[in-house]
Amino acid sequence: MATAAPTTHEANDASAVKGSVSLQSLTKSFGEFTAVRDLDLEVAPGEFLSMLGPSGSGKTTVLRVIAGFEEATSGTVRLSGVDVTRVPPHARNVNTVFQDYALFPHLTIAENVGYGLRVRGTGKAERVEQVTESLRRVRLDHVADRLPHQLSGGQRQRIALARALILRPQVLLLDEPLGALDKQLREQMQIELKQIQREVGITFIFVTHDQEEALTLSDRVAVFNNGRIEQVGSARDVYENPQTEFVARFLGLSNLIEAALAEELTGDRRTMSIRPERVRLQPASDPLRDGDVGLLGTVREVVYTGPATRFLITADAGVELIAEQPNAHHPAHEQALGRGDHVRAVWNPTHAARLP
Ligand code: ATP
């Protein structure tokens, strides 16, 4: 279910909504093609919101409309309660961090970070002080005199962030900023990004197509599909209670039990979505515990993934199921399971989401 952003402030009280973003009936077309259709979204001040969705689903377009790089075809964009739909990008109190960092190659790191202040006419002493503080925040004050090519990818990413934050925008837009980093660095940067966002208290709107990244970082996740938001809610909400088949499938693995079989198992004729980690495997001869439901089947594949083991089951009822158990508390009978074994895949329907 969609969770409403806590933005109940009066629209004319600018201080109360400082940093809020409100999109109403936003549509963006490119010629005949509609990239974003009739989209509503409320982002609260200081919130970390991720826009998650497959390639081409309209995330970047929404970000560009918020920044003012694209003009909305129809609908309204409000920043801090003020209608900025027709306001040019430089007059909006937002900043954007791009995936390619866009640092000036011939300026030092300190000059890159201080560039925006310089354009604004901030005096030199003030500039030096703010640049130092900003570099310290991203823990890179020791590279102030280097050129961008003398830094690693992760360091350049942090500089791009420092350069955006130094202007103290009310809203920071981040377009796949960690996309170019390898997995390990990316995970490290995710933690740092979250820490920095907490420290500065600025509203972050973060575009990604990496579901784990969105779940890890965000207060709320907006799941995009085909120019629309399918669902918006906390990470736990969109993961545990997907409202559509698309959301269930896009956010990790999910077992979808179609309506007729769901009715047979539970009496409720709605498609059931159950996550693999909620499915246990027990010997076929063991009885069901009270409240549980289960399907008899055959183990088709056992996949070791490091922290967990994944079992692919073909149920006698015809459906394919995935069960995943952490290797740390892997029941003994499951450790011994191999291809061809008969099992009962069991779960509690209260752990399943129902799709309307
Ligand atoms: P990705 O994750 O690949 O960046 P996305 O969800 O950010 O995807 P958008 O970049 O917003 O998707 O694109 C949405 C759709 O709009 C795509 O089909 C894209 O081809 C189209 N589109 C984007 N910009 C333009 C443009 N300037 N002219 C025409 N079509 C465009």
Side-chain angles (χ1 to χ4, degrees):
M1 212 167 53
T3 305
T7 48
T8 50
H9 318 284
E10 293 297 311
N12 57 6
D13 180 359
S15 64
V17 292
K18 193 164 169 276
S20 69
V21 178
S22 169
L23 307 177
Q24 284 165 338
S25 308
L26 183 74
T27 294
K28 176 63 190 173
S29 302
F30 298 103
E32 294 285 279
F33 179 75
T34 302
V36 175
R37 54 184 81 225
D38 200 21
L39 183 138
D40 295 313
L41 181 66
E42 300 289 332
V43 188
E47 186 174 24
F48 195 131
L49 179 115
S50 288
M51 301 202 285
L52 173 71
S55 184
S57 57
K59 312 174 299 284
T60 298
T61 302
V62 171
L63 206 72
R64 290 175 61 79
V65 170
I66 297 171
F69 301 136
E70 300 284 357
E71 195 170 315
T73 306
S74 62
T76 318
V77 180
R78 282 199 173 75
L79 292 175
S80 305
V82 178
D83 186 341
V84 296
T85 315
R86 307 284 164 228
V87 172
H90 62 83
R92 300 185 183 193
N93 200 352
V94 297
N95 246 291
T96 310
V97 177
F98 298 100
Q99 178 172 357
D100 62 4
Y101 322 136
L103 299 178
F104 299 116
H106 303 300
L107 298 186
T108 66
I109 295 308
E111 286 164 346
N112 261 287
V113 173
Y115 183 81
L117 293 178
R118 194 166 162 178
V119 170
R120 272 189 188 171
T122 308
K124 187 167 181 201
E126 169 81 23
R127 226 162 56 216
V128 169
E129 191 178 315
Q130 285 196 37
V131 167
T132 309
E133 190 212 314
S134 195
L135 284 174
R136 204 175 293 137
R137 178 175 294 130
V138 295
R139 286 176 289 287
L140 283 176
D141 34 338
H142 59 290
V143 303
D145 298 326
R146 291 200 207 161
L147 292 170
H149 78 267
Q150 295 169 313
L151 299 188
S152 72
Q155 289 172 329
R156 281 203 289 272
Q157 183 56 64
R158 268 139 71 189
I159 295 304
L161 194 61
R163 187 182 56 176
L165 287 172
I166 203 171
L167 297 172
R168 301 189 186 281
Q170 286 169 0
V171 177
L172 190 64
L173 308 174
L174 303 108
D175 193 358
E176 302 246 9
L178 310 182
L181 307 179
D182 64 49
K183 187 170 158 55
Q184 199 179 358
L185 193 52
R186 195 177 166 119
E187 284 170 1
Q188 187 186 327
M189 276 300 298
Q190 288 170 358
I191 295 166
E192 293 189 11
L193 195 62
K194 183 76 198 164
Q195 270 173 1
I196 290 170
Q197 194 260 348
R198 231 179 253 133
E199 272 170 39
V200 297
I202 292 173
T203 311
F204 273 33
I205 301 183
F206 185 92
V207 165
T208 180
H209 58 252
D210 180 329
Q211 51 112 352
E212 200 177 308
E213 185 161 284
L215 295 180
T216 312
L217 286 173
S218 332
D219 296 315
R220 285 189 310 151
V221 181
V223 185
F224 276 65
N225 182 23
N226 213 0
R228 297 177 196 273
I229 293 178
E230 291 248 343
Q231 189 172 347
V232 53
S234 68
R236 185 180 293 276
D237 194 23
V238 291
Y239 185 77
E240 303 279 351
N241 294 307
Q243 293 296 295
T244 67
E245 187 172 328
F246 176 84
V247 175
R249 287 191 193 280
F250 193 72
L251 284 161
L253 294 169
S254 194
N255 295 298
L256 291 174
I257 312 291
E258 44 94 13
L261 184 55
E263 186 177 28
E264 232 174 84
L265 291 171
T266 66
D268 182 344
R269 193 181 172 83
R270 280 180 300 167
T271 301
M272 187 162 33
S273 163
I274 180 83
R275 295 290 180 190
E277 65 272 20
R278 301 285 195 179
V279 178
R280 301 185 315 278
L281 298 177
Q282 63 180 48
S285 54
D286 281 10
L288 273 180
R289 278 200 310 228
D290 255 5
D292 282 352
V293 296
L295 289 170
L296 291 168
T298 307
V299 177
R300 286 287 163 226
E301 207 63 68
V302 180
V303 183
Y304 175 77
T305 66
T309 300
R310 200 171 286 163
F311 302 89
L312 310 187
I313 315 291
T314 303
D316 300 348
V319 288
E320 302 284 331
L321 291 172
I322 304 172
E324 189 171 283
Q325 299 303 325
N327 288 330
H329 19 101
H330 207 41
H333 68 87
E334 283 187 6
Q335 284 188 22
L337 280 179
R339 282 185 359 201
D341 286 346
H342 278 282
V343 290
R344 194 192 297 272
V346 174
W347 66 95
N348 193 305
T350 60
H351 294 151
R354 297 304 188 134
L355 308 183

